[in-house]
Amino acid sequence: MRVAVGMSGGVDSSVSALLLKMAGHEVIGVTLRFHTIPESCSTDDLRVCCSPEDVKDAAKVSEKLGIPHITFDWERIFKERVIDYFVQEYAEGKTPNPCAICNRDVKTGFLARYLREAVGIDKLATGHYARIVEYKGSKVIAKAEDKSKDQSYFLALVRSKDIDLIEFPLGELTKDRVRQIAKEHNLPVAEKRDSQEVCFLMGRKPGEFIKDVVGVKEGLIVHSSGKVMGKHTGIHNFTVGQRKGLGVAYHEPLYVLQIDAKENKVVVGEKEKLYRDSLKLLYLNTHMPINQWEDVYAVVRYRSKPVRVKDIRETQDGGYLVEFEEKVWGITPGQVCAFYEGDVLLGGGIIAQV
């Protein structure tokens, strides 16, 4: 089988390539370059992926493994499909999940289709901690065996038609075992730190990044009662559920309840006002027919507590209303709502409103 491996320069994708080669497949290393970083900007202390240093590391690993390595300069594609989306969502008062969008539109689903057409691959493998399984007659994504590292949530927007092209070699392994394999085979990235930051932020907070793009736009911070509490320098500095850094004083803790982009104001209030028993999705991306869904629960933010779903139904505007069996705290427009049945990822959508 001819398999391309999306190599980010980290230990996970490197071990994925190693395992596939050991299994006898024809392996091609593929790296996407998303960023041009000035020499004056050091990434040594940043835990980001897809930097120029990562591209070099991916090439070193490919040479060590004796596999061909291709680098695509997709900086423009990444900006148009991920960064511009990120900025626009914050401008609309939402808190986007750029990694989920990237997996759908750039480096996983889209890349798999692109490579199939461009170089005739059979599969695209990545270093995600997730699995591909057969379930109720469909090929779907499932949680990794190592639940502490599971990344299936970030794959909820990947189109069902792309799943057949994807492999996750690390789905049955723990992180410790992956590092052990890298050390046993003397991979040059065996001790490399994991990337945890949103790559294009380069260590900055989202608000700091967006300020450089849109500038300062002052507005009001208002209590849910209508009382003006203070001013802000941009709604992009806030997210629903935020408590710290509000810049206002009150006799009890306040949280961001709503971000009103039209009025350029931030509404704050008490914690209990953040509980909701439903949400609205812009659309629903399904990995298997929804009429086969049973015993469904949802995850409304990465690492959030799963909540049982009572009902999902389409609305007149083409979105979906999701109702829960209990109230959920801090549902945030712009985030991904992922649906599961046991360990199986059923699909997901982007939260429009609560």
Side-chain angles (χ1 to χ4, degrees):
M1 184 166 65
R2 195 175 202 212
V3 186
V5 180
M7 299 186 69
S8 65
V11 65
D12 295 328
S13 58
S14 297
V15 171
S16 295
L18 169 65
L19 294 175
L20 288 166
K21 184 182 179 185
M22 291 172 62
H25 298 297
E26 178 189 353
V27 180
I28 304 169
V30 177
T31 300
L32 305 178
R33 188 178 71 80
F34 293 153
H35 319 292
T36 300
I37 302 176
E39 292 184 3
S40 59
C41 179
S42 172
T43 59
D44 292 345
D45 297 326
L46 301 180
R47 302 175 75 177
V48 302
C49 70
C50 308
S51 71
E53 286 302 314
D54 292 326
V55 174
K56 292 177 183 178
D57 286 341
K60 289 177 184 177
V61 172
S62 296
E63 183 178 8
K64 171 76 174 177
L65 297 178
I67 62 174
H69 178 254
I70 305 169
T71 300
F72 292 113
D73 182 354
W74 278 15
E75 188 171 358
R76 179 185 61 80
I77 292 174
F78 184 73
K79 178 184 181 301
E80 292 175 353
R81 299 185 182 184
V82 179
I83 297 178
D84 289 352
Y85 167 84
F86 180 84
V87 172
Q88 182 60 36
E89 287 287 279
Y90 265 101
E92 294 177 3
K94 302 173 186 175
T95 305
N97 190 309
C99 295
I101 296 298
C102 187
N103 278 323
R104 182 188 67 189
D105 294 339
V106 183
K107 70 179 185 181
T108 303
F110 176 77
L111 178 61
R113 278 181 280 126
Y114 176 84
L115 292 174
R116 180 184 58 185
E117 298 299 324
V119 295
I121 65 162
D122 298 301
K123 298 280 186 178
L124 169 70
T126 74
H128 285 100
Y129 285 85
R131 294 178 294 140
I132 301 292
V133 300
E134 293 283 346
Y135 188 68
K136 296 183 180 179
S138 298
K139 184 171 285 190
V140 295
I141 297 169
K143 291 182 180 180
E145 286 293 332
D146 185 351
K147 298 301 187 291
S148 68
K149 296 297 294 183
D150 175 60
Q151 295 173 306
S152 61
Y153 171 84
F154 297 105
L155 300 165
L157 303 184
V158 171
R159 296 173 177 88
S160 60
K161 66 181 180 180
D162 296 333
I163 294 176
D164 193 51
L165 296 174
I166 300 170
E167 289 288 337
F168 302 126
L170 307 186
E172 308 288 341
L173 302 176
T174 65
K175 182 71 177 195
D176 289 343
R177 178 56 184 149
V178 169
R179 286 209 180 271
Q180 182 183 3
I181 293 171
K183 292 175 184 176
E184 290 171 353
H185 291 83
N186 298 313
L187 295 186
V189 295
E191 302 286 353
K192 188 173 181 178
R193 293 186 305 173
D194 293 339
S195 59
Q196 294 186 345
E197 309 289 344
V198 174
C199 60
F200 59 85
L201 295 183
M202 297 299 167
R204 288 176 290 176
K205 295 179 179 179
E208 294 171 338
F209 177 86
I210 295 172
K211 178 184 174 182
D212 291 342
V213 179
V214 303
V216 174
K217 294 186 178 181
E218 291 188 347
L220 297 178
I221 300 176
V222 181
H223 190 270
S224 57
S225 65
K227 179 183 177 182
V228 175
M229 306 292 294
K231 291 185 177 181
H232 65 76
T233 58
I235 60 173
H236 48 261
N237 293 306
F238 301 88
T239 184
V240 170
Q242 179 179 335
R243 176 184 172 185
K244 296 181 179 180
L246 301 185
V248 297
Y250 200 60
H251 58 81
E252 62 180 299
L254 292 177
Y255 297 77
V256 175
L257 304 181
Q258 179 189 1
I259 301 171
D260 187 334
K262 186 176 181 180
E263 298 292 332
N264 191 30
K265 69 179 180 181
V266 177
V267 180
V268 298
E270 292 72 27
K271 184 176 182 178
E272 60 269 18
K273 294 180 181 178
L274 279 168
Y275 285 92
R276 299 286 187 276
D277 60 6
S278 66
L279 60 79
K280 175 79 176 297
L281 295 180
L282 290 174
Y283 61 88
L284 181 59
N285 177 60
T286 60
H287 291 171
M288 57 182 289
I290 195 170
N291 60 11
Q292 295 181 6
W293 292 19
E294 301 176 283
D295 196 22
V296 180
Y297 66 90
V299 175
V300 300
R301 187 192 289 259
Y302 184 54
R303 299 292 192 192
S304 69
K305 177 186 174 183
V307 58
R308 190 77 59 186
V309 174
K310 182 168 64 175
D311 188 34
I312 303 176
R313 61 181 181 274
E314 191 170 4
T315 55
Q316 291 184 343
D317 60 1
Y320 284 80
L321 178 66
V322 182
E323 296 181 337
F324 304 115
E325 291 188 358
E326 60 184 276
K327 289 192 174 183
V328 182
W329 187 84
I331 299 173
T332 306
Q335 285 290 295
V336 170
C337 178
F339 298 98
Y340 292 86
E341 186 173 317
D343 282 353
V344 172
L345 178 65
L346 302 170
I350 297 174
I351 300 170
Q353 62 188 53
V354 296

